[in-house]
Amino acid sequence: MSQGSALLTLSAIDKSFDVHRVLDSVSFELAKGEVHALLGENGAGKSTLMNILIGVYSADAGTLELEGKPLKIARPVDSARHGIGMVHQHFRLVDRLTLTENLLLAADDHPGLKRRATARDTLLATAREIGFTLDPDCPVGELSVAEKQRAEICKVLALGARILILDEPTAVLTDSEASSMLGAIRRMAESGRSIILITHKLREVVGFSHRVTIMRRGKTVAAGLDTGDLSIEKISSLMMGASASSVSPDKAPGSVRPHGPDLLAVSHLHAQRDDGAPALNDVSLRVRAGEILGLAGVGGNGQHELVETLCGLRSASAGSVMVDGADALGLSPRQRRKLGLRVIPADRMASALVSDLDIAANLALTSVVSGRFGRLWLNRRRMAREAKASIERHEIAGARPRGRMGLLSGGNAQKVLLAREIDSGMKLLLAHSPTRGLDIRAAAAVHQRLREAAAGGAACLLVSEDVEEIMALSDRICVVSAGRVTGELPGDASAADIGRLILGHE
């Protein structure tokens, strides 16, 4: 390997929460000037290991070294002082402030960045160095997801990070945005920084990282392997301990579930974007009991607005929405929930879960208003008892009723959401990109829950940009483009058939 000598070493790291051992003698080594991919299924311990490195947790045992010297990190400020920074999936930016103001807000231990002009110039210089373009005077809330991510990276680097941890940096980016981001990551390494890349996209690992460390069930199963010697199949096998093909079975050929009456009927629906431009244009579709209807299409073609309109977060300008035979358009989200509507949003942490609350509270969020846990005060013992049973039933790794929601891995956080939403009162499930950012096994678990929901008589509208996911789950497939449903296909349609409709060809 042409990268430099060891910069950071974590040796024999142990961590337990109550009786649950999350890390078992884990080791990791990062060299100077390399992109080192840290891989593992959701719940393998990656997030816990990185949280120890950035001072959120303390290890129960083990040692950390930086450039061969002992490294003591008790708080996040300690890691920042040693030049370690992390860009999380959910950005640490204040939308109403400009990027310059966000840097000033984070610059408590950086006297040189206390002046606005200096902070602004530092951001621009950092962006130029790694090939980014940004406007330091633009409010963060006006930026796209990709622009926010670039802004967050520049902020962390401007604060002096020489070791950068990137958590799923391309999970919500388009292919072109992802390619641009990965190129920037390699340029950062070439400039002498060291990158820890956490991702589930194995093609990115093979194409853009120098070495790979793989964790499974809290242990290191492969440490510092040269990426050039690995195939995607080999990496998958090391991650899961089994062939990837055995994890997510395809639909059985010719399998057809019996379908009942329409539980969702959308007719001639129109809605607008936030800026007043048309988002939905004469959309009509139906989903029957026991059926999964896949809605395929490139992101940004009205899918987000459709889900918001169906669940009551966006007003329709025309058309009708019937849920289990009832007119739902004039109803609030809570009233639609009483009709049996449940939602898995595309961004679970922004729209469905509260990272700062404990897991018991998140599981109880939608039941509190009904008085299930008490009218005058909450019966927290009952909440914890029911949460414990749900955690065990749904095999949510690393979860405790009183554990903070934001500390769970993506796959286990999604399990919490599914456990809450797929309940006895569910009749219609809106699942928007339900496996985004999840590893192969976690995605397979989500797929199984959707299949089970449909088999139990629920109707499921699956909105996804992943054509393979649409093909694997759907009984029927509709394609959306420019806010219109451009065609309907049977569940056994080919990717080419779907692609032709997405591109506007009959």
Side-chain angles (χ1 to χ4, degrees), residues 122-434:
T122 301
L123 282 170
L124 288 172
T126 302
R128 282 195 298 269
E129 179 189 351
I130 57 178
F132 284 167
T133 300
L134 57 80
D135 179 359
D137 304 315
C138 179
V140 168
E142 297 179 10
L143 301 178
S144 68
V145 172
E147 289 170 331
K148 285 182 179 180
Q149 188 174 65
R150 291 195 289 269
E152 179 84 327
I153 289 173
C154 288
K155 184 192 80 173
V156 173
L157 293 178
L159 291 170
R162 52 178 174 150
I163 295 173
L164 188 63
I165 306 164
L166 298 176
D167 188 7
E168 297 289 349
T170 64
V172 294
L173 303 184
T174 66
D175 288 346
S176 61
E177 290 169 343
S179 179
S180 174
M181 176 57 62
L182 291 164
I185 290 170
R186 286 301 292 261
R187 288 195 296 275
M188 284 185 260
E190 290 165 2
S191 72
R193 296 181 176 91
S194 299
I195 314 296
I196 302 174
L197 175 64
I198 302 173
T199 182
H200 293 121
K201 298 183 179 181
L202 301 189
R203 286 184 176 82
E204 296 178 357
V205 173
V206 172
F208 290 90
S209 68
H210 298 103
R211 289 195 296 164
V212 176
T213 290
I214 299 172
M215 297 177 63
R216 187 167 71 240
R217 298 179 182 177
K219 297 182 178 182
T220 305
V221 296
L225 301 182
D226 192 321
T227 308
D229 298 331
L230 297 173
S231 65
I232 290 175
E233 291 73 21
K234 178 63 174 177
I235 295 173
S236 296
S237 178
L238 288 168
M239 285 174 62
M240 295 181 295
S243 171
S245 63
S246 67
V247 175
S248 185
D250 293 329
K251 286 183 295 190
S255 62
V256 178
R257 285 186 294 269
H259 299 147
D262 291 348
L263 293 181
L264 174 66
V266 179
S267 299
H268 307 293
L269 190 64
H270 293 255
Q272 296 177 325
R273 301 184 191 278
D274 294 338
D275 61 4
L280 303 176
N281 191 349
D282 200 34
V283 171
S284 295
L285 54 84
R286 63 190 179 95
V287 192
R288 297 166 292 185
E291 178 182 45
I292 298 177
L293 174 67
L295 189 66
V298 176
N301 277 276
Q303 299 97 316
H304 172 72
E305 290 81 4
L306 175 61
V307 173
E308 285 195 339
T309 304
L310 295 180
C311 67
L313 296 177
R314 183 178 298 271
S315 298
S317 54
S320 68
V321 174
M322 307 294 289
V323 176
D324 194 20
D327 185 357
L329 271 190
L331 303 181
S332 68
R334 180 184 172 190
Q335 290 170 321
R336 297 185 197 204
R337 189 173 184 88
K338 287 183 177 180
L339 293 176
L341 175 63
R342 304 291 185 266
V343 183
I344 308 296
D347 189 337
R348 54 186 169 267
M349 297 310 297
S351 304
L353 300 171
V354 183
S355 61
D356 289 334
L357 292 182
D358 62 34
I359 294 166
N362 274 277
L363 285 167
L365 274 178
T366 55
S367 302
V368 168
V369 71
S370 70
R372 177 181 178 85
F373 298 103
R375 293 289 183 184
L376 298 179
W377 59 83
L378 292 178
N379 186 336
R380 293 192 176 275
R381 287 187 178 179
R382 182 179 177 184
M383 287 170 56
R385 186 169 61 250
E386 293 192 8
K388 184 175 185 294
S390 187
I391 288 167
E392 292 173 354
R393 184 166 61 252
H394 298 290
E395 299 179 345
I396 305 173
R400 299 171 295 131
R402 298 303 184 204
R404 193 162 73 88
M405 184 72 236
L407 299 179
L408 284 186
S409 66
N412 286 301
Q414 193 74 326
K415 284 184 178 182
V416 170
L417 181 56
L418 288 164
R420 189 185 76 200
E421 294 298 298
I422 301 180
D423 59 16
S424 59
M426 183 192 69
K427 295 181 180 178
L428 169 64
L429 180 65
L430 306 181
H432 189 185
S433 303

Side-chain angles (χ1 to χ4, degrees), residues 75-84 102-115 158-161:
R75 301 171 300 163
V77 68
D78 297 330
S79 64
R81 285 171 179 162
H82 287 289
I84 302 170
N102 270 276
L103 178 57
L104 290 168
L105 191 65
D108 285 347
D109 294 318
H110 297 77
L113 295 176
K114 288 294 186 181
R115 293 179 61 252
L159 291 170

